[in-house]
Amino acid sequence: METTTMTPPPQDLIKALKDSINQSIIGQQAVVDQLIIALLAEGHVLIQGLPGLAKTRAVSAMASSVDAQLRRIQFTPDMLPSDITGSEMFNSESQQLSFTRGPVFSNFVLADEINRAPAKVQSALLEAMAEAQVSVAGQSYPLPDLFMVLATQNPVEQEGTYPLPEAQMDRFLMQLLIDYPSIESEILMLQMLRAESRAEAGQPVISMADILQARRQIEAIHVSAAVDQYIVALVDASRKPQKYHQQLSKWIDQGASPRASIALDKAARATAWLAGRDFVNTDDVRRVIHPVLRHRISRSYTAIGNNISSDHIIDTIVDHVAWV
């Protein structure tokens, strides 16, 4: 009698993915959770942190745990857009031009130190991130079904960097912040790295097909009209802060676009799915609001001068928008 092997449900595979990444990144559980939410929500992420805080390692750990391709692009001031998208090359044998694909044609694209390249190079990612395609010489080329840009930048280095324009920032579903690990986590990190140098490379724990299946299930997660109203009210508070709290109007220079509402909806549905529910509640929205909104709110000079962070502004928004 033949025995059949049962395929684990997507939730179990995603848990295995989370465990696999946490084995490589010590003390950054919140960042790992947010990376997985962005992956399930079909979003791109901007990872910010000081040098040496494992930004690149976090991306590599996730990519190596998924049976998918990772391409790394090291951004530099002398880059050209074609270094990302690819270009047409003349074939001497066929006497014709043929398109040579650039590193953006991958499942995971690590855009390392993205703010070191000028705006025309950064904008080469815009079409890819927004439309999952690349256009060269009037011809469009589709990107893979599983396509995710994970960009890193250092917050303190200003010389030789080019701030990302608002249109580019808005294409990222989330901005993740990596901070220093605790003393206990750093000790575990040292022990892990010593053991890692003697161990064999890990194997993927989930396939692209499993992730795409999870995404289809997330699309079916129910969102009530009341939760929709709550999402839009939170975003509206960033645009018309005087309606909600007088201090907010002094801190916010420009609010979030409708992409923020879309991003909150998608991230909240992924959060509900991870919790094993088929509906979204307001707690799901609040769990993801900081990484979704922090890069979409422009702080005023008053907020910057008084060291009021974007996260503090978001906390104030949440406190003054009525819960459903």
Side-chain angles (χ1 to χ4, degrees):
M1 182 176 178
E2 294 184 0
T3 58
T4 57
T5 302
M6 297 295 292
T7 302
Q11 277 93 344
D12 290 349
L13 293 171
I14 293 296
K15 183 180 183 302
L17 172 63
K18 177 181 176 180
D19 292 342
S20 177
I21 301 173
N22 277 323
Q23 288 176 7
S24 297
I25 307 297
I26 303 296
Q28 300 289 352
Q29 287 85 356
V31 172
V32 173
D33 289 344
Q34 291 164 3
L35 274 175
I36 291 175
I37 289 171
L39 173 64
L40 294 173
E42 303 180 55
H44 310 288
V45 296
L46 178 64
I47 307 173
Q48 183 169 302
L50 295 169
L53 293 185
K55 298 184 297 295
T56 301
R57 183 180 176 88
V59 176
S60 299
M62 184 169 74
S64 64
S65 299
V66 179
D67 189 11
Q69 183 184 36
L70 168 68
R71 298 287 296 275
R72 176 177 177 174
I73 307 172
Q74 183 65 51
F75 280 69
T76 58
D78 59 346
M79 285 185 71
L80 298 173
S82 58
D83 294 329
I84 296 172
T85 61
S87 60
E88 288 191 326
M89 306 288 289
F90 181 73
N91 190 317
S92 58
E93 294 183 1
S94 64
Q95 297 294 301
Q96 292 181 339
L97 290 172
S98 60
F99 179 63
T100 301
R101 294 170 180 258
V104 75
F105 288 89
S106 181
N107 303 118
F108 295 105
V109 177
L110 171 56
D112 213 1
E113 296 185 297
I114 190 173
N115 56 333
R116 288 202 174 277
K120 65 178 181 180
V121 177
Q122 296 172 3
S123 65
L125 281 176
L126 268 177
E127 181 186 15
M129 294 170 66
E131 302 177 29
Q133 68 175 22
V134 166
S135 297
V136 176
Q139 181 70 36
S140 295
Y141 301 90
L143 294 168
D145 290 336
L146 177 59
F147 171 70
M148 184 178 186
V149 173
L150 303 106
T152 71
Q153 67 176 11
N154 298 325
V156 295
E157 297 178 285
Q158 300 299 326
E159 186 175 351
T161 61
Y162 303 82
L164 296 178
E166 287 80 2
Q168 180 85 27
M169 293 286 282
D170 209 21
R171 291 300 196 277
F172 289 101
L173 181 84
M174 291 180 169
Q175 182 186 31
L176 312 186
L177 304 181
I178 296 186
D179 204 352
Y180 291 116
S182 65
I183 291 177
E184 294 77 12
S185 295
E186 196 157 354
I187 291 172
L188 289 173
M189 178 198 71
L190 293 175
Q191 297 170 350
M192 177 198 69
L193 290 175
R194 283 197 294 266
E196 194 176 75
S197 63
R198 301 187 296 269
E200 297 180 359
Q203 298 297 316
V205 298
I206 190 172
S207 70
M208 288 189 290
D210 295 321
I211 292 173
L212 296 177
Q213 180 187 355
R215 287 178 173 180
R216 288 191 294 270
Q217 293 181 4
I218 289 169
E219 288 175 358
I221 296 292
H222 175 69
V223 184
S224 68
V227 172
D228 279 341
Q229 183 178 356
Y230 183 60
I231 288 173
V232 173
L234 289 167
V235 176
D236 184 63
S238 74
R239 302 173 190 154
K240 302 171 185 175
Q242 66 279 1
K243 286 174 49 180
Y244 298 87
H245 186 56
Q246 190 59 38
Q247 195 65 51
L248 280 173
S249 62
K250 299 178 182 179
W251 293 340
I252 299 176
D253 184 48
Q254 182 175 325
S257 78
R259 285 198 187 97
S261 300
I262 297 169
L264 275 175
D265 170 70
K266 295 172 70 173
R269 279 189 281 130
T271 302
W273 181 87
L274 286 167
R277 283 183 278 103
D278 62 357
F279 64 94
V280 173
N281 60 32
T282 52
D283 285 338
D284 298 321
V285 178
R286 287 189 288 273
R287 285 191 186 98
V288 297
I289 190 171
H290 289 85
V292 168
L293 284 191
R294 65 166 58 107
H295 60 298
R296 291 184 163 96
I297 295 176
S298 296
R299 292 180 298 159
S300 67
Y301 288 115
T302 299
I304 295 172
N306 288 281
N307 200 28
I308 304 297
S309 68
S310 295
D311 281 358
H312 181 72
I313 293 173
I314 295 168
D315 287 337
T316 306
I317 288 174
V318 171
D319 288 343
H320 289 85
V321 172
W323 292 17
V324 179

